[in-house]
Amino acid sequence: QQPVQSPQAVILREGEDAVINCSSSKALYSVHWYRQKHGEAPVFLMILLKGGEQKGHEKISASFNEKKQQSSLYLTASQLSYSGTYFCGTEDAGGTSYGKLTFGQGTILTVHP
Amino acid sequence: DGGITQSPKYLFRKEGQNVTLSCEQNLNHDAMYWYRQDPGQGLRLIYYSQIVNDFQKGDIAEGYSVSREKKESFPLTVTSAQKNPTAFYLCASSMRPRQPQHFGDGTRLSIL
């Protein structure tokens, strides 16, 4: 079962902040985040592996609450280049899905000048 | 430059025809993956391979087949059994399973 992302879409002005959430019904080993611009390949942003872990990448950071089976992606002081569709990919805990990611349906982020 | 090359960029399939999508990587990655993306949807895993000469079915393997005879190559065949093949197909690789995945530019497959 695929993770659920929210919101489905968000529109921002440059400089505003956004949060994208990813929730799973299963216990998770890891969460990956990717960004895909229209007509292009997805690009890796970050992996979160442990409960409560937070990582950063420029002005984009993420957290992973293992207990709640959720991850959130934080985009601060958004730039025009942040526009695109953001996907979370989750790997189930338990070992039977070793290396296998299940992706959410995506969140479309649009940043206006 | 290291990367993943998918070919062709556009492919058209006739009814009852098998077609093969190419995926080659020169990143020396062990793991390779095939995903299907439909408009407005996420990525769905078709097949993945963690090592040469081994591969596993993903969530939507029916109507598809793969081989992994060489580390750098992971071709995907869309068979005539796949009744709705029109989609964007993405190949990815990672150094090891569970590591970040790097994607090719994709192949867009349509039915004639």
Side-chain angles (χ1 to χ4, degrees), chain A residues 2-111:
Chain A
Q2 72 178 152
V4 176
Q5 289 184 232
S6 62
Q8 288 188 333
V10 58
I11 299 173
L12 301 173
R13 293 219 173 267
E14 264 188 304
E16 292 181 338
D17 302 339
V19 180
I20 300 171
N21 300 301
C22 175
S23 294
S24 176
S25 58
K26 299 181 177 182
L28 298 176
Y29 171 81
S30 69
V31 181
H32 295 218
W33 285 97
Y34 293 81
R35 176 173 61 209
Q36 183 180 30
K37 294 189 180 279
H38 186 69
E40 297 181 7
V43 173
F44 170 75
L45 294 175
M46 63 191 77
I47 290 181
L48 300 111
L49 293 174
K50 295 179 183 177
E53 184 181 16
Q54 187 145 356
K55 280 195 161 187
H57 175 77
E58 298 176 345
K59 293 179 184 175
I60 300 174
S61 61
S63 63
F64 176 25
N65 188 320
E66 191 180 346
K67 208 169 181 180
K68 291 186 178 179
Q69 297 160 191
Q70 287 179 348
S71 177
S72 295
L73 187 71
Y74 307 94
L75 300 104
T76 57
S78 59
Q79 305 167 15
L80 294 176
S81 62
Y82 285 5
S83 293
T85 302
Y86 289 77
F87 293 100
C88 66
T90 58
E91 180 180 338
D92 296 345
T96 56
S97 301
Y98 184 77
K100 178 188 168 203
L101 292 182
T102 304
F103 283 87
Q105 81 280 15
T107 295
I108 301 171
L109 180 79
T110 306
V111 181

Side-chain angles (χ1 to χ4, degrees), chain B residues 15 28 35 48-49 88 98:
Chain B
E15 294 284 345
N28 200 32
Y35 293 95
Y48 63 113
S49 168
F88 188 47
R98 293 183 156 173

Side-chain angles (χ1 to χ4, degrees), chain B residues 3-6 22-26 32 70 72-75 91:
Chain B
I4 301 175
T5 302
Q6 288 189 243
S22 170
C23 178
E24 304 276 331
Q25 54 99 359
N26 60 4
M32 297 187 74
K70 296 187 295 182
E72 57 270 24
S73 178
F74 192 40
C91 178

